Amino acid sequence: MFIMSEDSQRTQGRDAQSSNIMAGKAVAEAVRTTLGPRGMDKMLVDSGGEVVITNDGATILNEMDIEHPAAQMIVEVADSQEEEVGDGTTTAAVIAGNLLGEAEDLIEQDVHATTIVEGYHEASEIALEAIEEQISEEAVDDDVLKQVAESSMTGKGTGGLTAESLAETVVEAIRHVELEGGVARDNVTVHTQIGASSNATELVPGIVIDEEPAHEGMPTDVEDASIAVLDVELGVRTGEIDAEYAIDSIDQLNTALDAEESEVRGYAETVADSGADVVFTTEDVDDRVSNFLANEGILVFENVGSSDAKDIVSATGATRVGALDDLEESDFGAADRVRTDSFGDDELAFVEGGAAAETVTVFVRGGTEHVVDELERAIGDALDVVATALASGEVVPGAGATEIAIADKIREEAAGIEGRKQLAVNAFADALDVVPRTLAANTGQDPIDALVDLRAAHESEGRAGLITSGEEVTIADPFEYGVIDPADVKREAVESATEAATMIARIDDVIAAE
Ligand code: ADP
Ligand code: MG
């Protein structure tokens, strides 16, 4: 009896397990070489010839267009890591891949998948306790935050900029949006602009939008601006004259044109009389209106994108107005300064200070699209980790030190666990070794030797990582060298990798429709 369509494919038992595990491992393997300060970049070319050059785990996995369902689950690990904490995507994917590799060995030794899953869950609980023990007792101040930012950016293409100067900009931005008991991370935006050295990257106390003045004669720099945001067309809707008048004489045409002229002048006067210095409207502005407003010294932007309009509203405290008659002073937003500036062919508007000061923009410059794109990702990661570290106040040593400590604690506790589950718990510890091993391999060191030395240093010194600084690689306390990660990045990596690996390991039947 057939209960499935003849076209569907079914893989069962060990075959299903090993094909899923292989796919998952392969995905993790793909990002392994990008891990850490000496990680390499990948160039990804899509079917349309679009090129992305990146070191970012989540970006690589998403650009790879992965189809295998089990492999897709590793991509989801990286995605959830990116979403929850903004960094550690390669770490999480690599740990998940190694948990699968270890599971494969256990299955070959006839350890049942259920036992593996139980062991992994138990080990991940121990891992979370170990992370707790690694949290620094020092206060998370600006220096620590800068180190957290730098640690997240090393190995990323930061153009001509040093990670150090970028880290300063990032910390300044996050401090700007710090609230009591939290961080308004969404109030920091990143705006990229091609055409200058990345050294020109700066922090703008406000927002930057891709808009240009409606008329050449308008001011390009307005201080203490009262800002109106409108969804109003400032002109006569085309076609309106024909619809309303049947014109059969020159006189009638002139009357119609006069009527139009005065209507247009009416709009211009209403805007000018309202007292606004700067006007953003999402609709068209008639040339005659912009000419008039330019003469009045008013700066107007037309056809402003809806999302830009939203940003201006939230940055300046303006209220969007849908009809000119409703425009009142109380609808105005405020900014210390609204200015425009041209960059090559692009003209940008900067809305700075005043109410706008709640939001800040990291204005990223760079010579080419690839440079600014990767710089944007690196800054995005750094903003996320600094926000996370500041909000929680919890940081742990990087450079593999936390992973070594976790593995150590798990092995210690595994001794007291009965039966085959002990094998799975120990396997979890082995899987975590992948982080220091990979950091070593990516710096050209022998991974086995490095691991042995690291463990020995951890035993004797208590905190030991594989520190890369310049050309040097040393085993030392990461806190001394400022290699610091937020505790939440490690927690999330352990949890999401465990979840995906255990989910994949317990599948023993794959039914695929054609
Ligand atoms: P991920 O996508 O997992 O964040 P990264 O390529 O950003 O991958 O590498 C992060 C790892 O690199 C972390 O374990 C971090 O502690 C480590 N790291 C950062 N800076 C250094 C350094 N100077 N020396 C050694 N390890 C470092
Ligand atoms: Mg990172």
Side-chain angles (χ1 to χ4, degrees), residues 406-464:
I406 297 172
D408 192 49
K409 189 177 171 76
I410 292 176
R411 287 194 186 98
E412 240 173 65
E413 304 218 351
I417 294 170
E418 306 265 306
R420 293 183 176 199
K421 195 160 73 181
Q422 188 192 86
L423 298 178
V425 174
N426 269 318
F428 193 99
D430 293 345
L432 276 177
D433 286 341
V434 72
V435 173
R437 261 196 289 131
T438 307
L439 287 173
N442 290 352
T443 48
Q445 296 207 314
D446 183 89
I448 308 285
D449 289 346
L451 194 59
V452 170
D453 293 347
L454 257 181
R455 277 190 192 148
H458 172 75
E459 275 309 311
S460 58
E461 314 292 326
R463 206 166 32 220

Side-chain angles (χ1 to χ4, degrees), residues 59-325:
T59 308
I60 295 167
L61 294 177
N62 280 303
E63 293 285 334
M64 274 170 66
D65 200 12
I66 286 159
E67 273 183 8
H68 193 289
Q72 191 59 45
M73 291 171 72
I74 305 293
V75 181
E76 282 166 22
V77 169
D79 284 346
S80 77
Q81 183 80 21
E82 177 75 38
E83 197 148 300
E84 295 297 324
V85 286
D87 193 25
T89 56
T90 313
T91 303
V94 167
I95 293 176
N98 254 50
L99 286 173
L100 287 173
E102 296 290 336
E104 190 178 28
D105 293 347
L106 292 171
I107 288 167
E108 266 163 30
Q109 294 169 50
D110 272 332
V111 179
H112 196 270
T114 320
T115 310
I116 300 173
V117 169
E118 276 174 22
Y120 277 10
H121 279 304
E122 216 159 307
S124 81
E125 292 300 321
I126 303 170
L128 295 179
E129 288 164 24
I131 292 170
E132 222 59 38
E133 291 166 8
Q134 291 301 308
I135 294 172
S136 166
E137 288 176 359
E138 305 284 311
V140 175
D141 59 13
D142 274 7
D143 283 335
V144 172
L145 291 175
K146 275 180 214 162
Q147 291 167 343
V148 168
E150 263 190 74
S151 301
S152 80
M153 285 186 294
T154 45
K156 306 269 181 287
T158 48
L161 268 180
T162 58
E164 198 181 340
S165 74
L166 270 180
E168 224 156 274
T169 307
V170 164
V171 172
E172 204 184 324
I174 293 295
R175 281 290 190 196
H176 200 97
V177 298
E178 187 181 359
L179 309 165
E180 226 168 292
V183 175
R185 166 67 180 89
D186 290 347
N187 282 351
V188 183
T189 47
V190 179
H191 192 103
T192 59
Q193 181 64 42
I194 303 164
S197 125
S198 46
N199 285 312
T201 296
E202 60 173 332
L203 199 62
V204 176
I207 56 170
V208 180
I209 48 177
D210 271 294
E211 305 290 351
E212 57 184 300
H215 192 281
E216 280 181 356
M218 285 175 174
T220 55
D221 197 340
V222 180
E223 291 192 1
D224 274 328
S226 294
I227 300 168
V229 183
L230 312 175
D231 293 298
V232 180
E233 179 173 347
L234 299 177
V236 183
R237 287 189 189 277
T238 36
E240 234 169 59
I241 321 170
D242 297 349
E244 286 185 17
Y245 312 92
I247 294 165
D248 44 33
S249 76
I250 289 289
D251 269 0
Q252 274 177 341
L253 179 62
N254 282 338
T255 317
L257 288 176
D258 283 350
E260 191 187 325
E261 191 77 35
S262 75
E263 191 183 342
V264 164
R265 189 168 314 113
Y267 293 135
E269 276 164 3
T270 312
V271 172
D273 292 347
S274 76
D277 309 307
V278 179
V279 176
F280 293 93
T281 177
T282 54
E283 305 277 333
D284 274 331
V285 177
D286 188 291
D287 286 345
R288 289 165 290 185
V289 176
S290 28
N291 198 19
F292 180 90
L293 293 175
N295 285 333
E296 295 286 316
I298 298 171
L299 175 56
V300 182
F301 299 87
E302 61 178 335
N303 297 318
V304 172
S306 190
S307 78
D308 281 347
K310 231 185 246 158
D311 290 344
I312 297 160
V313 163
S314 71
T316 65
T319 310
R320 254 165 107 157
V321 173
L324 213 47
D325 293 341

